[in-house]
Amino acid sequence: MPRPIEAIIHVQALTHNLAQARNAAPDAKVWAVIKANAYGHGIENSYPGLRAADGFALLDLDEAQLLRKLGWRGPILLLEGAFESRDLELCSRLKLWHAVHCEQQIDWLAMHKTHEPHRVFLKLNSGMNRLGFTPQAFRAAWTRLNALPQVDEISLMTHFSDADGLRFGADGIAHQLASFEAAAADLPGERSLSNSAATLRYRLRSDWVRAGVMVYGSAPDYPGNDPAHWDLRPAMTLRSRVIGMQNLQPGDSVGYGSSFCASQAMRIGIVACGYADGYPRHAGSGTPVLVNGQRTTTVGRVSMDMLVVDLTDMPQAGLGSEVTLWGCGPKGAILPIDAVAQAAGTISYELMCALAKRVPVTVENRA
Ligand SMILES: *Cc1c(COP(=O)(O)O)cnc(C)c1O
């Protein structure tokens, strides 16, 4: 028998969550963001649940190719644009729309030989200071692009650093929005501004929203709001089973470093899931977990292949009991991945993307 750990991808949840993005931005078209192998869910696994998107946004050219192979003929946006000049050949061939965020990408376009003029998304650096033209350079970049025969349509985009609104003492997205509005003021073209957090929280008018993490069922502003608040459902479940049991006396310790020490008699279960499966090693004692759909907590350090759960108040639980590390448990129980991420001092994105190759993945079509 293989190790009892597995990941389930819930196709219907993807469809449901995508519809929530649409509800939040009824006048906009929706990019389903599927970079990083659909945030660890697998592009092939996720595509059937996301077909109702108006387009797919990603950044790896291999992923764009895969999506075309799967039969998607609609828009695909390369969020970071070309990484080298010959990437533009693939853009022409596969009709990929691409971001343009620096002068060099315009140089490449100017030298690119094509009969298929490209649709580009000119990116403004409105304050994130990652990719994009400064407000001062934005208009000149637009003018340069507009003069190129290789360019068909120019759309305008920017990306918010603080749409989740968890930073103190900041004005959220206001300064970035003002910067975009000033730089883009009288330029024509479609606009794309919002990620998941901005889509749900600010409801700005735009032509395209870019829905990433919400599509996978995580609340971008957790713990301010949880996924249920936004009516989002987990698209990924990580589950395993109890493969060993121990009874502890007061003073007994658990795991590497003996970081946990029992202050009373306890029953603990050993679960076949560790950091080599993608479970975060930094999730300390007390991280929430479901056993047979009932909430309890982890105990001691997470090791490579195992972690430990407290079963003291669960006399029915024992060898073989089902353990939900995140996602959907039995009897409708849900453990948001956000709660596990928070306990590990990280965000859901990192956990989703880190699901390890050795974990078998099942795609489930039922709701
Ligand atoms: C990843 C990404 C998104 C999606 O962000 P979420 O927070 O997952 O919704 C949107 N836009 C850009 C440019 C991105 O890189």
Side-chain angles (χ1 to χ4, degrees):
M1 191 176 133
R3 266 175 97 229
I5 191 166
E6 62 176 339
I8 320 292
I9 303 304
H10 307 285
V11 172
Q12 308 268 329
L14 291 167
T15 305
H16 170 86
N17 297 336
L18 182 69
Q20 295 307 103
R22 237 183 238 302
N23 290 344
D27 301 323
K29 289 168 276 189
V30 179
W31 295 111
V33 182
I34 56 165
K35 64 192 182 192
N37 197 28
Y39 289 47
H41 294 65
I43 288 180
E44 298 193 60
N45 301 334
S46 307
Y47 175 62
L50 297 174
R51 269 180 225 268
D54 297 294
F56 289 91
L58 43 73
L59 39 86
D60 201 303
L61 281 93
D62 289 344
E63 294 186 339
Q65 265 178 306
L66 172 60
L67 197 56
R68 286 287 184 241
K69 274 205 195 97
L70 293 173
W72 176 253
R73 298 186 170 194
I76 297 178
L77 174 62
L78 297 178
L79 288 164
E80 297 181 355
F83 298 103
E84 55 176 332
S85 61
R86 49 172 203 174
D87 291 346
L88 295 176
E89 291 161 25
L90 198 70
C91 292
S92 295
R93 188 144 47 84
L94 298 182
K95 280 192 188 295
L96 308 179
W97 303 358
H98 50 100
V100 171
H101 64 74
C102 66
E103 295 289 348
Q104 189 179 43
Q105 290 180 326
I106 305 183
D107 297 341
W108 293 337
L109 263 170
M111 294 182 309
H112 179 52
K113 295 192 177 39
T114 180
H115 302 295
E116 298 270 355
H118 290 196
R119 169 131 182 209
V120 297
F121 278 65
L122 180 62
K123 183 157 187 180
L124 175 74
N125 169 13
S126 58
M128 169 83 99
N129 283 309
R130 271 181 352 187
L131 301 181
F133 290 91
T134 62
Q136 298 73 25
F138 195 63
R139 187 160 301 259
W142 186 90
T143 305
R144 244 192 110 192
L145 280 173
N146 192 45
L148 293 181
Q150 291 90 342
V151 172
D152 171 24
E153 200 176 327
I154 308 172
S155 304
L156 312 176
M157 72 183 286
T158 197
H159 190 46
F160 298 124
S161 54
D162 293 271
D164 54 3
L166 303 176
R167 258 45 105 236
F168 293 106
D171 65 352
I173 63 169
H175 64 291
Q176 288 189 264
L177 189 57
S179 164
F180 180 81
E181 279 171 355
D186 51 355
L187 294 177
E190 290 194 330
R191 268 90 167 137
S192 179
L193 304 172
S194 297
N195 57 1
S196 297
T199 300
L200 291 171
R201 300 184 70 231
Y202 290 99
R203 310 205 163 207
L204 310 170
R205 287 193 75 95
S206 72
D207 299 289
W208 292 89
V209 297
R210 306 187 300 272
V213 83
M214 68 174 293
V215 161
Y216 305 100
S218 161
D221 55 350
Y222 190 90
N225 288 302
D226 64 12
H229 172 84
W230 299 116
D231 191 11
L232 301 172
R233 302 178 187 160
M236 181 195 289
T237 291
L238 180 63
R239 71 182 180 205
S240 187
R241 292 192 182 277
V242 173
I243 59 168
M245 296 287 302
Q246 301 292 343
N247 290 302
L248 304 182
Q249 300 308 313
D252 286 350
S253 63
V254 176
Y256 286 115
S258 299
S259 66
F260 179 87
C261 188
S263 55
Q264 54 181 31
M266 288 177 76
R267 253 177 106 236
I268 57 171
I270 318 304
V271 181
C273 176
Y275 60 77
D277 300 301
Y279 193 90
R281 186 177 168 278
H282 293 288
S285 283
T287 300
V289 61
L290 305 179
V291 177
N292 294 333
Q294 212 184 318
R295 208 158 162 138
T296 180
T297 58
T298 65
V299 174
R301 275 195 200 154
V302 174
S303 50
M304 184 184 284
D305 310 304
M306 285 177 269
L307 55 78
V308 179
V309 293
D310 183 2
L311 302 179
T312 309
D313 297 326
M314 298 182 164
Q316 345 71 297
L319 279 180
S321 287
E322 181 171 335
V323 179
T324 308
L325 288 318
W326 59 68
C328 302
K331 300 171 231 148
I334 287 181
L335 177 60
I337 189 170
D338 309 81
V340 181
Q342 190 191 28
T346 183
I347 52 176
S348 61
Y349 301 67
E350 191 181 30
L351 300 193
M352 294 174 182
C353 293
L355 182 72
K357 269 217 169 76
R358 79 172 186 183
V359 177
V361 176
T362 306
V363 179
E364 183 192 74
N365 276 298
R366 278 177 299 116

